[in-house]
Amino acid sequence: MEEVELCFPQLNTSCWKTKRPLSHTVLIYMVLSFISLLTVTLNLLVIISISHFKQLHTPTNLLLLALAVSDFFVGFDMLFQIMLINGCWLLGDLLCTLYLVYDYIFPSTSIGIMVLISIDRYVAICDPLHYSTKVTQGRVQVCVSLCWIISLLYVCIVFKDDMKPPGRYISCVGECGGTLSIFHQFSDFIILFLIPISVIIVLYMRVFVVAVSQARAMRSHIAAVSLERSVKVTVKKSEIKAAGTLGVVIVVFLICICPYFCVTVKGRDTYVSTSSASFVLCLYDSNSCLNPLIYALFYPWFRKCIRLIFTLQILRPGSCETHML
């Protein structure tokens, strides 16, 4: 008869450990640890770059900075996800509740800031003449602050029952889970998934249409003034690149968050309790690792910032005045 492994062998009320081959466990730990380290590192580079260099202090980059801050903390959150892979929580009920709140607030804030970024790009492309008056650093700071406040208030509402007292819904010692009512599961799907996704897709499709129209108009102008064929090809490639970038933004975001909300909308009673749920949450959080790659890595100034940081030139006096654009 196979022996049952418990999180706390000395307790009859202990949860069971998830049993898997040692090689699989080591591989999972290594992959998740690497993703966590990469998430923290990339977002820290974005934070340092935008905060240090004055030329990067623009409304758009302020949104990237806010996104990097929330994604930076998501990277640390994944360390706790690693602990839950085997189905055991060893840090007690209070820290479990704090972890659930932590795990909820930063990803939801990242989603809100991504919506703000899509709005910023929509105004920049579709209404460029009024962009400087409509999108200012002051307004961006207010919007980002509201995003954080709304996320915090929403999390407090969702987990108000789990906080009094912590662990009241735990079925066995070593479990870390809370409960989401049907109403909260539905509101999660609407507020954190359906509405942001709809806004992002609609705005990006509008940006794409306008960008393609402008590129075609430019190509027509080039043809009218009889420039070389090679210039026409370059314009056409820019259209393809724009389409690919927008497609990556939407598809990667959907791939990362769809599994979590598919689980939520099916009516799971436990927020985090099994290794499969932990995997879904890790995939959900991994979007924070990809955000700096998608939103910042393709900017030339970011690559230049990385070079200055790793060569320690950022420590030189007056380095904040370096020309980055």
Side-chain angles (χ1 to χ4, degrees), residues 152-171:
L152 180 60
L153 291 176
Y154 183 72
V155 169
C156 290
I157 293 173
V158 170
F159 288 104
K160 63 177 181 175
D161 292 334
D162 296 283
M163 295 179 182
K164 48 179 188 181
R168 61 185 298 186
Y169 296 109
I170 299 300
S171 59

Side-chain angles (χ1 to χ4, degrees), residues 5-231:
E5 295 184 12
L6 300 175
C7 296
F8 299 93
Q10 70 277 16
L11 298 177
N12 293 331
T13 56
S14 173
C15 298
W16 293 11
K17 284 186 178 180
T18 302
K19 303 180 69 175
R20 59 170 58 88
L22 178 61
S23 59
H24 293 182
T25 302
V26 172
L27 178 61
I28 292 173
Y29 284 174
M30 290 180 61
V31 170
L32 292 181
S33 298
F34 173 75
I35 294 175
S36 176
L37 178 62
L38 186 63
T39 300
V40 170
T41 302
L42 288 176
N43 285 288
L44 183 60
L45 287 173
V46 176
I47 294 171
I48 294 175
S49 299
I50 298 178
S51 301
H52 182 75
F53 297 105
K54 293 183 178 181
Q55 194 177 17
L56 301 180
H57 295 177
T58 64
T60 300
N61 287 341
L62 184 59
L63 290 173
L64 293 178
L65 175 62
L67 180 64
V69 170
S70 60
D71 288 343
F72 174 81
F73 287 105
V74 171
F76 285 107
D77 172 69
M78 294 190 71
L79 294 176
F80 295 101
Q81 293 292 345
I82 296 173
M83 183 184 301
L84 286 169
I85 289 299
N86 66 355
C88 294
W89 179 263
L90 308 177
L91 301 181
D93 294 338
L94 178 59
L95 287 180
C96 171
T97 301
L98 293 177
Y99 157 69
L100 293 177
V101 172
Y102 183 98
D103 181 68
Y104 216 84
I105 186 170
F106 291 109
S108 60
T109 303
S110 294
I111 293 174
I113 295 175
M114 287 181 70
V115 173
L116 294 179
I117 290 175
S118 66
I119 295 174
D120 171 79
R121 294 184 174 182
Y122 171 79
V123 177
I125 299 297
C126 299
D127 192 13
L129 295 180
H130 299 94
Y131 176 80
S132 59
T133 56
K134 288 184 177 181
V135 182
T136 63
Q137 289 199 34
R139 290 181 179 178
V140 168
Q141 291 172 355
V142 170
C143 290
V144 170
S145 299
L146 287 176
C147 187
W148 279 97
I149 293 172
I150 293 172
S151 296
L152 180 60
L153 291 176
Y154 183 72
V155 169
C156 290
I157 293 173
V158 170
F159 288 104
K160 63 177 181 175
D161 292 334
D162 296 283
M163 295 179 182
K164 48 179 188 181
R168 61 185 298 186
Y169 296 109
I170 299 300
S171 59
C172 58
V173 180
E175 181 184 28
C176 181
T179 58
L180 288 179
S181 65
I182 297 299
F183 172 76
H184 286 145
Q185 291 169 356
F186 182 75
S187 65
D188 267 7
F189 180 74
I190 298 297
I191 296 175
L192 299 180
F193 179 73
L194 189 59
I195 293 178
I197 286 296
S198 300
V199 171
I200 290 173
I201 290 178
V202 169
L203 292 180
Y204 274 146
M205 290 303 100
R206 176 58 180 165
V207 167
F208 174 74
V209 170
V210 172
V212 170
S213 298
Q214 292 177 352
R216 287 176 176 173
M218 183 178 297
R219 189 171 62 216
S220 299
H221 176 71
I222 292 173
V225 296
S226 300
L227 290 180
E228 295 181 359
R229 180 182 176 85
S230 60
V231 179

